[in-house]
Amino acid sequence: MSKELNIANGVNIRDLGGYPTGDGATVKKHQLIRSGYLSDLTHHDQQYLYDYGVRTIIDLRTTAEARQYPDHLLPAMRLIRIPILQERMGDAVVRKQVFKGPVNNAQAGFQHMLRLYLRLVASPEAQQSYHRFLTALTAALPNGGVLFHCSTGKDRTGIATMIVLHLLGVAPQVIRQDYLLTNKLSAMRVNQRMSEARQVSVAPEYLKAVFDISTVRPLYYDFAETAIKYLYGDFDSYAAKQLGVSNELVETLKRSCLSY
C-alpha cells in the first residue's frame, strides 16, 4: 500500500505504489508521488526526492500560490505548472463567508468544500486542467518518477489521484481509503493551521469552518463521486468525454505505472 516518505519539511507526501488493480497488477513504487507544497524543502529533502526517483514535479496550485510559496527543487528536476483553478482559496475566503451576515455561518467551511469539489470535477476550467495534467504526467513518466502537488495535497491533488488511480484500475474503495489517509498524514499541519486561526478569531463558527477546509471527509469524496455519476453517467464516460482521456493515454499510463 502507499508509503509515507520520510521528508521532515514536506507536507502529506506519499508514494502511491503498492495499490492492487482489478486485473491482478500492482501500481509500481517510485513512479507516482502525491504531496502538498514543497516550499519548505531543504537541500537534503530535495536530494531525498531525487534519490527516490523523482524527476518531474507537477504543481497544481494557482499562479499566486506558486509565486508566494515557490517550490524548492534541485536543478535536475523538471517543474511543470498546471493550475487546476485560478481562484483564491483558503482561510481568508472562508472567513468572509462566516462573518458576512448578521448570524455567523458555522457551515461556511463545509459549504465551501462542497462548492470546491463540484468545481473540481465539473467546471470546464478544471476539466481542461486535469486533461493537461494527465497528458503531462503520461509524457513525463518514462523519464522517472513524477510528484504532483497543490498546497496541502488534499483537494486538487486528491481529485487528481482519484482520476489517475481510477484509470489504472484500482478499486474505488481503495482510492477512497487513500484519499482519507490525508487526515493522518496532515495532522501536524492541521493543528498548526488551527493555532493560526485562533490568532484571528476564537469564534466557534470560524474555527469549525477552518477545520472543515483543513481536513478531508468521506462526504467530500462521496460528493465528488456522486457528482460525476449524476452528471456524466459513470467514471469512464467522464474521463473520455469531459477529460479527453483516450484509450492510448490509458494504455501508456498503465505501461509506465503497473507491474504484473
Side-chain angles (χ1 to χ4, degrees):
M1 292 302 179
S2 71
K3 169 191 175 183
E4 180 181 10
L5 300 193
N6 186 27
I7 298 178
N9 300 287
V11 177
N12 195 16
I13 303 182
R14 60 189 182 272
D15 187 339
L16 296 173
Y19 287 133
T21 67
D23 60 354
T26 303
V27 179
K28 294 178 183 177
K29 295 184 182 296
H30 304 273
Q31 288 294 94
L32 298 170
I33 295 90
R34 58 175 292 179
S35 174
Y37 62 87
L38 306 176
S39 56
D40 291 340
L41 296 189
T42 64
H43 180 79
H44 180 270
D45 297 330
Q46 298 165 43
Q47 189 64 51
Y48 179 99
L49 285 176
Y50 188 85
D51 292 344
Y52 195 78
V54 174
R55 295 295 181 269
T56 304
I57 308 293
I58 302 180
D59 186 352
L60 306 177
R61 297 175 300 167
T62 66
T63 301
E65 288 174 298
R67 185 182 298 120
Q68 185 174 4
Y69 301 104
D71 287 346
H72 290 170
L73 306 171
L74 294 179
M77 293 178 176
R78 181 189 180 198
L79 175 63
I80 302 173
R81 294 212 56 255
I82 305 177
I84 298 300
L85 295 171
Q86 285 286 13
E87 64 194 72
R88 291 185 62 194
M89 303 180 188
D91 298 12
V93 174
V94 171
R95 184 162 61 247
K96 292 180 180 179
Q97 295 297 318
V98 172
F99 299 121
K100 73 175 183 178
V103 178
N104 293 347
N105 180 12
Q107 295 300 313
F110 176 73
Q111 293 164 353
H112 171 83
M113 294 304 294
L114 294 187
R115 289 192 296 269
L116 172 61
Y117 274 75
L118 182 59
R119 289 195 298 275
L120 287 175
V121 301
S123 73
E125 178 187 0
Q127 291 174 356
Q128 291 165 12
S129 294
Y130 279 124
H131 170 80
R132 292 174 55 213
F133 161 72
L134 292 168
T135 301
L137 174 70
T138 304
L141 280 166
N143 301 318
V146 178
L147 182 153
F148 54 96
H149 78 95
C150 53
S151 55
T152 53
K154 68 185 188 71
D155 305 315
R156 290 163 288 186
T157 299
I159 295 299
T161 301
M162 178 187 78
I163 293 169
V164 171
L165 293 183
H166 263 295
L167 293 176
L168 292 175
V170 175
Q173 63 270 25
V174 175
I175 302 173
R176 190 173 185 266
Q177 290 169 2
D178 177 81
Y179 169 83
L180 295 174
L181 187 58
T182 282
N183 284 337
K184 177 183 177 181
L185 302 187
S186 301
M188 289 182 62
R189 173 57 185 148
V190 172
N191 289 337
Q192 177 185 347
R193 195 169 184 179
M194 295 307 299
S195 296
E196 293 168 353
R198 292 186 189 95
Q199 302 304 311
V200 176
S201 172
V202 294
E205 298 89 348
Y206 176 62
L207 297 180
K208 180 182 184 305
V210 172
F211 184 79
D212 286 345
I213 68 170
S214 301
T215 54
V216 296
R217 288 189 183 184
L219 195 149
Y220 298 160
Y221 184 88
D222 295 344
F223 179 79
E225 268 203 334
T226 300
I228 289 172
K229 292 175 182 177
Y230 178 77
L231 294 172
Y232 310 112
D234 56 30
F235 180 82
D236 289 341
S237 295
Y238 171 70
K241 297 178 182 178
Q242 306 306 128
L243 304 184
V245 174
S246 65
N247 291 334
E248 180 182 5
L249 184 146
V250 174
E251 291 306 312
T252 302
L253 187 64
K254 287 182 175 180
R255 282 196 297 271
S256 294
C257 296
L258 298 182
S259 59
Y260 289 86

